[in-house]
Amino acid sequence: MKFSQRLAYYLLGLMIGCFFVAFVFGGKDTSCNYFPNARVLSNLRSKPFHYSEEASSVLKENWIDTLDIKNTLQYGDIDFDNSNIAYKKGKLYVIEGKTVKNQEIIVKVINYENKAVLESITKAN
């Protein structure tokens, strides 16, 4: 068998395999969150999100926006030394992130069973 024939069979099999993989895994809304930081942030984003009065008053100031909070919940780092603490019948998570203006912030979120509440927003030192 010539090399060109072997290459053609290989490429045909590769295309059939790619279509099969795309068909099996295509329509599913799956995500792979292996690390604890990614799992907690995904859990917080999947729940209805509420703001406390303190957080709402900070959001009315001009230095931070709800987009910054969303980015922090997407790309932030959880301080596990100060997090996962029982607090007001939920668990408190301290998340470090940055604003659009590259200013470091610390966000405290209470994770309840059916909702997440933004407790406070502070500027990092």
Side-chain angles (χ1 to χ4, degrees):
M1 190 180 293
K2 295 181 181 179
F3 175 74
S4 60
Q5 290 175 332
R6 286 185 284 166
L7 182 63
Y9 280 125
Y10 171 76
L11 291 176
L12 179 67
L14 182 66
M15 285 182 15
I16 291 172
C18 288
F19 284 125
F20 179 74
V21 168
F23 177 74
V24 170
F25 295 113
K28 298 181 180 178
D29 186 24
T30 59
S31 63
C32 300
N33 296 325
Y34 295 111
F35 297 111
N37 193 59
R39 277 186 282 176
V40 171
L41 290 176
S42 175
N43 185 353
L44 290 173
R45 286 191 311 268
S46 68
K47 296 179 180 181
F49 204 76
H50 302 281
Y51 299 95
S52 69
E53 291 180 19
E54 179 185 347
S56 295
S57 66
V58 172
L59 284 171
K60 290 179 184 176
E61 300 173 9
N62 289 333
W63 67 274
I64 193 162
D65 192 10
T66 56
L67 179 65
D68 300 325
I69 303 301
K70 289 180 183 180
N71 287 338
T72 300
L73 291 176
Q74 180 74 34
Y75 305 109
D77 293 321
I78 298 176
D79 182 9
F80 281 104
D81 291 337
N82 298 321
S83 295
N84 204 8
I85 300 169
Y87 183 76
K88 293 184 181 180
K89 298 182 181 179
K91 289 189 178 182
L92 179 70
Y93 288 99
V94 179
I95 306 168
E96 300 169 354
K98 291 187 177 184
T99 64
V100 176
K101 298 174 185 174
N102 208 21
Q103 183 178 14
E104 294 183 2
I105 58 171
I106 296 174
V107 174
K108 293 183 180 178
V109 179
I110 304 172
N111 188 11
Y112 294 105
E113 193 170 317
N114 56 357
K115 67 179 179 177
V117 177
L118 178 63
E119 184 69 16
S120 67
I121 307 164
T122 57
K123 294 179 183 180
N125 295 332

